[in-house]
């Protein structure tokens, strides 16, 4: 379904732009509020970076923990020893040489395993992506729950737009990772229920919520910064890299098809940036 894949490309651009345009600025604004009396203006960006690195560590360790030990042993026991710089006796420069035991096909097979992700890695990708989108959806749901008047209508328009494309990205990712329909349905239901849960929480706390209180500024700033880091990691590493940069199926497309997807990514990011300016 080419149109669904184009929508997915739009969703990739929207998710990355949502992180940097829609989530990070409110975090910076909240943590730089004079009421907090902080002397450091980059705390939100630090939280974003720490979140991205934590996501990388968590995903890597989950893959190692859940993968069969035999497979990990095979990947680590490659016949390829790696590049060694060895100077020639009569040469002023070093030449790059390789040590191997002659089994070149085995070496290429391992690199194929790294590029072509295992089913386990794809499933973990969808689970982490679902969790990151759920955190973001709950946060914006809380914002909607405590908003009123024109602010509510503006948030509703912006959220309806990028939640739709986030749903397309989640759905297309789960379709490629899970073979059972019920698992994909559970993923879809989890995504669909996250924003209403956030709205419900926002309605419950709206009576005692003070946007300018110290506690509210800390909570809002930290949550927005963490959500921005999660979305940026998932958008750049999980979606952009593995669906485009190292995806052999995408490489096999015609140049016209590839550039159509590139334009969709840029279009999604541009539209989300415009909505962020308006909202």
């Amino acid at each position: 379904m080419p149109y669904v894949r184009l929508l997915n490309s739009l969703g990739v651009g929207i998710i990355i732009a949502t992180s940097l345009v829609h989530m990070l600025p409110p975090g910076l604004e909240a943590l730089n509020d004079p009421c907090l009396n902080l002397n450091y203006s980059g705390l939100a960006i630090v939280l974003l970076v720490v979140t991205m690195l934590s996501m990388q560590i968590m995903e890597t360790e989950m893959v190692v923990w859940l993968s069969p030990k035999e497979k990990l042993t095979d990947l680590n026991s490659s016949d390829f020893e790696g590049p060694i710089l060895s100077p020639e006796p009569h040469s002023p420069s070093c030449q790059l040489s390789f040590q191997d035991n002659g089994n070149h096909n085995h070496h290429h097979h391992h690199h194929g395993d790294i590029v072509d992700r295992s089913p386990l890695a794809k499933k973990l990708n969808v689970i982490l992506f679902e969790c990151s989108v759920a955190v973001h959806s709950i946060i914006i749901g809380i914002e909607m729950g405590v908003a009123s008047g024109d602010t509510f209508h503006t948030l509703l328009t912006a959220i309806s737009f990028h939640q739709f494309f986030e749903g397309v990205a989640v759905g297309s990712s789960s379709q490629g990772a899970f073979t059972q329909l019920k698992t994909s349905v559970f993923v879809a239901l989890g995504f669909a229920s996250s924003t209403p849960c956030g709205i419900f929480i926002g309605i419950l706390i709206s009576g005692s919520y003070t946007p300018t209180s110290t506690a509210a500024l800390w909570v809002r700033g930290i949550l927005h910064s963490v959500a921005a880091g999660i979305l940026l990691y998932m958008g750049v590493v999980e979606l952009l890299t593995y669906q485009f940069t190292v995806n052999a199926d995408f490489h096999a497309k015609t140049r016209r098809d590839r550039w159509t997807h590139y334009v969709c990514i840029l279009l999604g990011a541009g539209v989300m940036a415009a909505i962020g300016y308006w909202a």
Side-chain angles (χ1 to χ4, degrees):
M1 294 183 292
Y3 294 108
V4 174
R5 295 189 179 277
L6 290 178
L7 286 175
N8 181 65
S9 298
L10 277 171
V12 172
I14 287 173
I15 288 171
I16 295 174
T18 298
S19 169
L20 297 175
V21 176
H22 186 69
M23 301 303 295
L24 183 59
L28 285 167
E29 181 182 0
L31 294 178
N32 289 330
D33 193 280
C35 295
L36 297 182
N37 196 24
L38 294 178
N39 296 323
Y40 183 55
S41 61
L43 181 58
I45 299 177
V46 171
L47 292 174
L48 181 146
V49 173
V50 170
T51 300
M52 292 185 66
L53 296 177
S54 300
M55 290 287 294
Q56 173 63 45
I57 294 172
M58 181 176 64
E59 183 180 9
T60 303
E61 290 302 313
M62 286 178 66
V63 172
V64 173
W65 179 50
L66 296 175
S67 297
K69 292 183 178 180
E70 294 81 4
K71 186 173 182 179
L72 291 176
T73 303
D74 291 340
L75 288 175
N76 291 328
S77 61
S78 171
D79 292 335
F80 178 71
E81 298 294 339
I84 297 178
L85 289 174
S86 58
E88 295 293 331
H90 302 289
S91 175
S93 61
C94 294
Q95 295 182 352
L96 189 65
S97 62
F98 297 88
Q99 292 181 355
D100 64 72
N101 294 332
N103 194 345
H104 297 284
N105 292 331
H106 189 58
H107 160 59
H108 289 297
H109 171 71
H110 286 314
H111 275 260
D113 285 343
I114 294 174
V115 175
D116 297 331
R117 309 181 79 193
S118 65
L120 174 63
K122 292 180 180 179
K123 292 177 182 178
L124 287 177
N125 164 236
V126 174
I127 293 172
L128 289 174
F129 186 32
E130 170 77 12
C131 292
S132 66
V133 172
V135 171
H136 164 251
S137 300
I138 290 174
I139 292 173
I140 61 177
I142 294 174
E143 288 185 353
M144 286 190 64
V146 299
S148 60
D150 293 337
T151 303
F152 175 82
H153 293 96
T154 302
L155 279 174
L156 179 62
T157 303
I159 288 171
S160 298
F161 181 80
H162 68 68
Q163 285 295 96
F164 170 76
F165 286 101
E166 284 181 3
V168 171
V170 170
S172 61
S173 299
S174 64
Q175 184 183 17
F178 299 110
T179 56
Q180 295 184 348
L181 178 61
K182 63 179 182 180
T183 306
S184 298
V185 171
F186 286 144
V187 171
L189 289 176
F191 170 77
S193 61
S194 55
T195 302
C197 287
I199 295 174
F200 179 72
I201 295 172
I203 293 173
L204 290 179
I205 66 174
S206 60
S208 59
Y209 178 76
T210 305
T212 57
S213 66
T214 302
L217 290 172
W218 274 112
V219 171
R220 191 165 68 249
I222 291 174
L223 289 180
H224 275 87
S225 302
V226 170
I230 294 174
L231 286 179
L232 187 60
Y233 175 83
M234 300 307 296
V236 173
V237 176
E238 299 294 348
L239 297 178
L240 199 61
T241 300
Y242 288 112
Q243 291 189 15
F244 299 96
T245 306
V246 296
N247 189 340
D249 293 334
F250 182 76
H251 297 167
K253 293 179 180 293
T254 63
R255 179 177 297 179
R256 179 179 178 180
D257 289 341
R258 293 197 306 271
W259 275 97
T260 302
H261 283 274
Y262 298 151
V263 170
C264 287
I265 294 172
L266 294 173
L267 181 62
V271 171
M272 194 61 221
I275 291 179
Y277 174 79
W278 171 61

